[in-house]
Amino acid sequence: AGVGRQVTAEQLRARGNALFQAGDHGAALAAYTEALSLSDAVSERAVLHRNRAACYLKLEDYAKAEADATKAIEADGRDVKALFRRSQALQQLGRLDQAVSDLQRCVSLEPRNKAFQEALRALGSSMHEKMKTMSCTDSKVEQMFQILLDLGEKDEDKKQKAAQNLIVLAREEAGAEKIFQSDGVRLLTQLLDTAKADLMLAALRTLVGLCSGHRSRTMAILAEVGAPRLSAVLGVEHEQVSLAACNLLHVMFDSLKEGLQKDFRGKEDAVVLDSSRDLKLLIKHLLELLVLEGASAHGRDNALNLLIKVVPRKSPKETNNSLTLWVIDQGLKKILEVGSTVCGSSGSLPVTENSRMSTSVLLSKLYEDLKCDAERENFHHLCEDYVRSWFEGHELPGKLRAIQTVSCLLQGPSDAGNRVLELEGIMDSVLSLCASVCEAHQLVAVEALIHAADKAKRASFITANGVSLLKEIYKHSERDSIRIRALVGLCKLGSAGGTDFSMKQFAEGSTMKLAKQCRKWLCNEAIDAGTRRWAVEGLAYLTFDADVKEEFVEDKAAMQAMFHLAKSEDRSVLYAVASTLVNCTNSYDHEEPDPQMLELAKYAKQHIPEQHPKDKPEFVKRRVRKLLTAGVVSALACMVKSENPALTNSCRELISRVFLALVEEAEDRGGVVAQGGGKALIPLSLEGTEVGQTKAAQALAKITITSNPEMAFPGERIYEVVRPLVSLLHLQRTGLENFEGLMALTNLAGISERLRQKILKERAVPMIEGYMFEEHELIRLAATECMCNMAMSKEVQELFLAEGSDRLKLMVLYSGEEDEKLRRAASGTLAMLTSLHPPICKRIPQVTVHWLEILQALLLSPSAELQHRGAVVVMNMMASEREVAEQLIASEMLEILSVLAKDKDKP
């Protein structure tokens, strides 16, 4: 019977296909629907849903088309037909940003598909058109609010459309001002007070548009909505709402801070003071939220993240750190309350696994923002008072909170951590609690000991006392959660003797045993993620050893378990994952003389100094392949996406190093892009440490050189790649980085005028010109090829006619050089310039006396390409003006041309 049923479902599907082809969409729909009722197989049902979506699109029932396409996508997220159909339905339903995201997914799955690229472009411009038409009408705004605030309105689709329209409208200045003038803020406040998640989200996202870059509007909104209300919304249980509130507050801070940056004089002063008062009011509420018991755990995390972003100075150039001093004065104790929370103890604040890490990062940023010893001393005293207040007179729970605070400070501003470690009785408590029978207490103490081991100042004291203690715990504890931490402590102490990894505290060969144990723990799903994170910490130390690296990449389950952790909610594992990957890919800095130009000659075949035999290039290459197969790119992309304090600049640098190692071989680059590597590299190249940004930019260059840039970086993303690539041209970069930057920009400059304009705007042209004079022939060639493509721009053509410039002379002379590739690039530029900008033709005879012999040599060259370029230049010069034409005819040019015109082999 089963077989019979299967056949009929298939027959019905075939009948539906035939009806659809014939244009009878209603009958086709009925056939697919009947087939669905007979089919059980998931893949079969997915195809039927996809087909029904096509029918509904034809019948213009877009809501049902979206629902059916979604079912197909749930079965297979890579089903491009279903994604494309859903994007068409969403477009008709007016949910344009969702339609865009489906189309972007299509393009990333099938980069060569022209239909998808076209649809994406069209959708971009239709969003723009929509904005224009919407901003014409006032009544629209009132209408949208009516729909949203009407409790009797049951049509969810209508509500969603209205909300989406409001958000899109608020993104354009005209629209934002309309909403603001039409009593919008009061109505948005009413939406916030409905306590319905979708309405609150719509209100928060619309307010983002109203506040973006507009200080006076932001101040008015803050006055009307009120800091207490915004803070309360940040602390709600609904994660998306809390995150949207966090985003809004960040935008408000930025808009208010702009008022403080500008140095106003005279009448404006009062306004400036207002703005700083508003800033402090918002920050005061964030600090109160940290210790508010009713606030949600992720609301608390979002508040910490906001403080990290908005309180410390963005750069040392800003002299005013008064906001930091004010926060330390008003709120350091409140911040430490979160850092000292012992998870799971009675009456503790609700926190997530990220809260303590975020607190450490915030404390670190505040401490680094202090300018003098007196300010730092005050910070130390506040920390010491806080730790003492818990340590003395609160029995065991108080001691645990004091020790937890020490851990939090050691992970953040370690100077402050070391100071509190020296308080009387703290270290003794840590050591005695390490032997506690209660697991939770022992955990707190062992972690504090490990963080203390990290800081060299204390390491000698700990090496004396801690090693034997940790060994005891490691050998005899019943609990994996404790043993794993003890192991990490031993690894840290073992590597405290310097970077060459030798486990001084252990016998030979035990590194391997420990690593095996770490991998076992890492793969054991029964152990909680917080504990398994420590197994990665252990591997971050143990993978300095090449044997450990080799075993790790052979253990697919361990790699995938690590990637899984990297994508999890707990972001504190990021640094350890990144360190392990840097070790496995050998992408750390090698101490070796760097004869740059030698490196260039062996372009990209990098030499690695003699180390462990298993650290030779062929081993590293194999390890990279294994990591790629195991899915390292999607894990890294996920790590970069996390808007999280744990993604520190040094962590970003490690990730950039790994990416650069992953794209070393040209054949791996396509795969890296397909799994989201290209997209992840852009933010890495725009912020972080200088080394990190450069490594990410170099990886982007390698991708741009060997793949079609429009497919690697679809849509608008390609324009974001320009700035990182231009940064590789700076003089302090290595020759190899200059070379790869030039080659990548050559590829981009050949694509479109808009890209050339972007390259011009980033001031790349003077740098490209500079490299045309470079001694190294590969760099000189790359610069000339880049200039050849840039010369398609009008502005660049004008430069060749500028008074007192040798640009044109250089191009003519290079067209007569011996290096054939350089001649090809230079004569190609001349052919382009003389075709697009005729005034250049009459300048050529003025720049050098050798112009005629150079042109004749091109025409007599054995290379057909050079002959062709020469012929184009001569043709353009003949057409340009009589005087130039006479000079050409008076030479042997006519005879040479007559001979070439008869050449049957070179049409």
Side-chain angles (χ1 to χ4, degrees), residues 553-569:
V553 299
E554 291 303 331
D555 187 343
K556 199 161 180 193
M559 286 193 286
Q560 283 172 340
M562 182 171 87
F563 298 156
H564 193 67
L565 275 181
K567 296 178 186 179
S568 70
E569 286 302 300

Side-chain angles (χ1 to χ4, degrees), residues 397-459:
K399 288 193 168 41
L400 286 168
R401 287 202 66 163
I403 291 172
Q404 193 78 302
T405 312
V406 175
S407 272
C408 184
L409 287 165
L410 282 166
Q411 278 184 285
S414 54
D415 289 351
N418 280 324
R419 280 279 288 265
V420 287
L421 257 187
E422 281 158 18
L423 290 178
E424 198 178 334
I426 295 276
M427 201 65 210
D428 297 335
S429 282
V430 171
L431 293 172
S432 64
L433 277 168
C434 277
S436 166
V437 287
C438 166
E439 176 169 13
H441 300 172
Q442 201 180 4
L443 279 182
V444 171
V446 173
E447 285 191 17
L449 188 60
I450 292 170
H451 294 311
D454 245 3
K455 313 300 165 204
K457 195 170 168 190
R458 303 288 310 171

Side-chain angles (χ1 to χ4, degrees), residues 456-490:
K457 195 170 168 190
R458 303 288 310 171
S460 54
F461 167 75
I462 292 160
T463 313
N465 299 276
V467 170
S468 50
L469 184 69
L470 289 172
K471 268 190 172 170
E472 280 305 299
I473 295 173
Y474 178 62
K475 287 192 181 125
H476 303 301
S477 172
E478 300 290 303
R479 311 187 189 104
D480 278 346
S481 59
I482 303 286
R483 291 185 64 214
I484 209 163
R485 286 163 171 81
L487 167 69
V488 174
L490 289 168

Side-chain angles (χ1 to χ4, degrees), residues 2 121 181 194 259 266 309 336 550 610 659 730 734 784:
R121 248 177 240 130
Q181 297 300 347
T194 58
K309 284 175 185 159
L336 290 170
E550 284 296 313
E610 293 308 311
F659 265 127
H730 293 189
T734 65
T784 310

Side-chain angles (χ1 to χ4, degrees), residues 137-239:
T137 52
D138 293 358
S139 57
K140 274 274 176 66
V141 176
E142 287 155 41
Q143 205 182 331
M144 289 181 235
F145 277 119
Q146 269 170 354
I147 296 169
L148 290 171
L149 288 165
D150 175 8
L151 298 173
E153 177 62 73
K154 289 282 175 277
D155 185 348
E156 282 307 312
D157 212 41
K158 195 169 170 188
K159 277 195 161 175
Q160 200 176 359
K161 210 169 183 172
Q164 193 56 43
N165 287 344
L166 254 190
I167 296 165
V168 173
L169 189 59
R171 281 181 197 150
E172 297 275 326
E173 180 48 40
E177 195 52 35
K178 274 278 148 50
I179 296 171
F180 185 70
Q181 297 300 347
S182 333
D183 194 23
V185 182
R186 187 180 61 81
L187 298 169
L188 288 167
T189 309
Q190 283 181 25
L191 286 180
L192 280 180
D193 291 344
T194 58
K196 287 191 171 163
D198 50 344
L199 296 180
M200 291 172 83
L201 284 170
L204 291 164
R205 287 170 184 162
T206 306
L207 284 167
V208 164
L210 298 188
C211 295
S212 277
H214 203 296
R215 185 158 137 264
S216 56
R217 226 168 24 214
T218 301
M219 289 169 77
I221 288 168
L222 184 57
E224 190 160 343
V225 180
R229 185 186 268 112
L230 289 169
S231 167
V233 176
L234 185 67
V236 297
E237 279 300 334
H238 193 289
E239 280 193 48

Side-chain angles (χ1 to χ4, degrees), residues 295-310:
S296 65
H298 44 257
R300 194 165 277 107
D301 280 2
N302 286 333
L304 287 166
N305 292 359
L306 272 169
L307 290 166
I308 289 168
K309 284 175 185 159
V310 300

Side-chain angles (χ1 to χ4, degrees), residues 16-46:
N17 291 349
L19 288 162
F20 187 90
Q21 292 295 331
D24 191 347
H25 304 123
L29 179 66
Y32 293 143
T33 306
E34 196 180 334
L36 264 173
S37 67
L38 298 176
S39 172
D40 297 332
V42 179
S43 56
E44 174 78 13
R45 290 180 70 80

Side-chain angles (χ1 to χ4, degrees), residues 542-768:
L542 295 164
T543 46
F544 280 120
D545 182 306
D547 290 309
V548 175
K549 304 179 201 192
E550 284 296 313
E551 285 206 352
F552 179 66
V553 299
E554 291 303 331
D555 187 343
K556 199 161 180 193
M559 286 193 286
Q560 283 172 340
M562 182 171 87
F563 298 156
H564 193 67
L565 275 181
K567 296 178 186 179
S568 70
E569 286 302 300
D570 180 0
R571 312 309 290 179
S572 47
V573 73
L574 294 183
Y575 194 83
V577 172
S579 305
T580 306
L581 291 171
V582 163
N583 290 341
C584 288
T585 55
N586 286 38
S587 46
Y588 37 75
D589 284 328
H590 305 292
E591 293 302 317
E592 57 170 326
D594 174 28
Q596 272 180 32
M597 296 309 170
L598 186 80
E599 198 171 356
L600 203 58
K602 313 178 295 198
Y603 172 52
K605 298 269 186 296
Q606 283 166 342
H607 166 69
I608 291 173
E610 293 308 311
Q611 298 158 309
H612 192 297
K614 288 184 181 167
D615 274 332
K616 290 214 167 95
E618 60 270 26
F619 282 92
V620 178
K621 207 185 226 165
R622 245 194 330 256
R623 289 202 288 267
V624 165
R625 283 280 152 77
K626 296 212 160 107
L627 287 166
L628 285 168
T629 320
V632 64
V633 176
S634 63
L636 290 171
C638 198
M639 287 159 74
V640 174
K641 256 200 295 234
S642 87
E643 256 296 309
N644 191 280
L647 192 67
T648 54
N649 284 344
S650 47
C651 187
R652 299 170 81 96
E653 180 185 316
L654 295 178
I655 296 174
S656 302
R657 286 173 180 277
V658 178
F659 265 127
L660 184 54
L662 296 176
V663 297
E664 187 56 50
E665 298 298 319
E667 61 267 32
D668 297 332
R669 293 172 195 166
V672 171
V673 169
Q675 290 170 43
K679 184 180 180 183
L681 278 163
I682 294 173
L684 289 173
S685 65
L686 294 172
E687 64 170 300
T689 64
E690 194 170 342
V691 174
Q693 287 181 306
T694 306
K695 302 264 181 209
Q698 202 185 348
L700 284 171
K702 285 180 189 286
I703 290 169
T704 311
I705 291 167
T706 52
S707 47
N708 175 349
E710 289 177 285
M711 288 174 184
F713 308 106
E716 291 297 302
R717 202 173 299 154
I718 194 166
Y719 302 99
E720 295 173 43
V721 180
V722 173
R723 178 170 299 162
L725 294 179
V726 172
S727 75
L728 292 173
L729 303 188
H730 293 189
L731 288 173
Q732 68 270 36
R733 301 281 171 263
T734 65
L736 183 63
E737 287 159 358
N738 300 154
F739 175 61
E740 291 185 325
L742 288 164
M743 284 180 56
L745 287 168
T746 305
N747 257 356
L748 293 186
I751 291 173
S752 71
E753 182 55 32
R754 191 176 154 199
L755 271 167
R756 288 190 287 278
Q757 287 301 327
K758 177 82 176 139
I759 295 171
L760 274 163
K761 209 165 112 193
E762 293 293 341
R763 302 197 179 86
V765 172
M767 291 190 274
I768 297 169

